[in-house]
Structures are given as C-alpha cells and as structure tokens.
Amino acid sequence: MRKLMWLTVGFVMATLLGCQWLDNQWYLLCAGAAALGIAVCLFLLLRTSKARVAGMLIFGCLLGFLWQLGFDSLYLSNVRALDGLEAPFTIEAADYSFASDYGTGVEGRLQANGKTYAVRVYLPADTALEPGDTVSATFRIGCTLRGCSRESDYYMADGTFLVAVARDEVTVTEAGKLPLRCWPAWLRHQISQRIEEIFPADAFAFAQALLLGDTEQIDYATDTAFKRGTAQGFYKMMNRMGVEMVYNHADYRLLSQRALRALLSFGEVNMFL
C-alpha cells in the first residue's frame, strides 16, 4: 500500500508539471524518458528500501507524463486544430442556458471532424435553451489552451477547452424528447428548483452548494441570518456536550466525505479543529 502511495504521488506530480507543458510535447517526451531511465537504474543498481521508494515515485512520474502525452495527442491536439475556425455548426445543448456578460451561455456538444467536443457556447441574450435542444448558426471557435486565441486559465480550470461565439442569426430547434445523456442535467435542474421552493432566499445558495455542489450563487461577503444561525447553533450544541468554547468566536464550514475520512484517519483522541 505504501508503494502504491508513492506511485500515486509521482503520478500527481507529473500531471501538475504536464499541465504547464501541454503546449510542448517534446518536454513531455524528454521528461518521460528521463523518468524511465532513472527508475530502471534505481531498481537494478540499488536494493535499499529508500531506493525502491524513489523508484516507485519516479515510475509514477513516468506514468503521469505518458498519460499527459496521450491526452494531448488524442484530444488536445484536435482541439487546437479548431482554434480560429469560423463556420456553420449545429451544437446540442448539454445543460440549461444561463445569463452571462457575453449574452446567453450554455454548455454544449460540438461535432467536428468526426469527433464530439465539449464547448462553451455564447448566444444572443434573448436565447433560451434546454438540454437536448440544438442551435444552428455560424460560430467562431476559440481554444482556451496556452498560445491560442482565447487563452484562459479560468476556462481551463473549469475543463472548458473550446468556446463558440455565434456570429450571425441563430436557429433553435427544440428537442422532441429528452435524450438519455441529458437526464443528469435535467435532474439537477429539477432538484435546484425544488430547493429554491423549500428553502428561504438567504439559505438557498448554501443548500444548493451542499446538495448539488454548485457554489456560484454563494456570497461569502454577506453575513446572512442562515449563516449566523447555523454558526451560533454549532457553539450551543458543543457547549451542551460539555466542550468549553468561547461563544461565537469563529465560524465553521461543512466538510465533504473525503475531508471527514481524512480527519478520521488521524490517531489523536482529543483532536480539535
């Protein structure tokens, strides 16, 4: 298990480095070849446990570089080829449209060169789309990777590598039946509407973040009654359990299952955060 941990650490390190070298495959090839050579030397020439740990770490780096190289060759290279293209396309909406600074935005699926690409689409402000609807127009395609026309770390961090902007009048065709691949988006929308009906306005954003993982509507600068009430309720509950705390001296945050499992792995009995 410990060797697997070091293998994973090496893979993550290589992935982070590869994100900086996505525009140069030669860096990935050279780094991968160097990692392979060092790992083989450590395994063959040194027999100590530390050398084997270092070998697993470097072998994990090799796997990470190979994964980055494959992702770049099979997907991102095709994405770069679409940069700057302006042509008629029919794009299928993968989610519900939303208002943005550029008009109406929607996540979509673009068919080009026999492949399907995820794309952020920007349309005129009065356009409304639902999952499964298609929109036809002349679009200008921009790639968000480094060195491309719409280079943006914001889009890349969100997993968006292509942006399509409508250049003329758009034609919307409603979906006669919701495609199976769009059911998750429809279900998430239904849950969001139900949350908005059940929870008061000051608690809606937090409930949506907790249940759907959508934190876009949370305003961390606003101290709402819901935030104050839940924070104060925490101190009251801890005091009733016999924990001596200074009342209302700080706030607390909800934790994910992954964070809770990490905390439970500690051996301290009286740990307090």
Side-chain angles (χ1 to χ4, degrees), residues 42-81:
L42 288 174
F43 273 110
L44 295 180
L45 301 179
L46 301 176
R47 298 294 182 178
T48 63
S49 59
K50 291 184 178 179
R52 293 188 176 183
V53 167
M56 293 300 294
L57 181 66
I58 297 172
F59 187 67
C61 290
L62 171 63
L63 294 179
F65 286 130
L66 291 177
W67 183 89
Q68 287 279 358
L69 184 61
F71 181 65
D72 183 271
S73 300
L74 298 176
Y75 184 77
L76 294 184
S77 60
N78 296 322
V79 169
R80 292 191 187 93

Side-chain angles (χ1 to χ4, degrees), residues 175-188:
K177 182 180 180 181
L178 183 68
L180 182 62
R181 59 181 173 272
C182 296
W183 281 15
W186 173 83
L187 181 60
R188 183 172 62 251

Side-chain angles (χ1 to χ4, degrees), residues 100-145:
S100 72
D101 295 337
Y102 305 100
T104 298
V106 67
E107 303 295 336
R109 298 183 182 91
L110 169 68
Q111 292 280 347
N113 301 327
K115 296 185 178 181
T116 302
Y117 301 92
V119 59
R120 173 73 59 83
V121 185
Y122 290 110
L123 305 166
D126 58 348
T127 308
L129 293 174
E130 296 184 0
D133 293 348
T134 58
V135 55
S136 300
T138 298
F139 290 96
R140 182 173 180 81
I141 309 299
C143 177
T144 63
L145 297 173

Side-chain angles (χ1 to χ4, degrees), residues 133-210:
D133 293 348
T134 58
V135 55
S136 300
T138 298
F139 290 96
R140 182 173 180 81
I141 309 299
C143 177
T144 63
L145 297 173
R146 292 183 179 89
C148 296
S149 61
R150 294 187 67 96
E151 177 180 347
S152 171
D153 290 335
Y154 169 79
Y155 284 124
M156 289 180 59
D158 196 36
T160 301
F161 301 117
L162 287 175
V163 175
V165 180
R167 307 292 287 181
D168 59 6
E169 185 178 354
V170 301
T171 302
V172 176
T173 303
E174 296 183 359
K177 182 180 180 181
L178 183 68
L180 182 62
R181 59 181 173 272
C182 296
W183 281 15
W186 173 83
L187 181 60
R188 183 172 62 251
H189 183 70
Q190 296 299 315
I191 295 175
S192 178
Q193 288 184 325
R194 187 59 176 163
I195 292 173
E196 189 172 9
E197 294 174 1
I198 295 175
F199 290 90
D202 61 346
F204 164 69
F206 292 93
Q208 184 166 261
L210 177 63

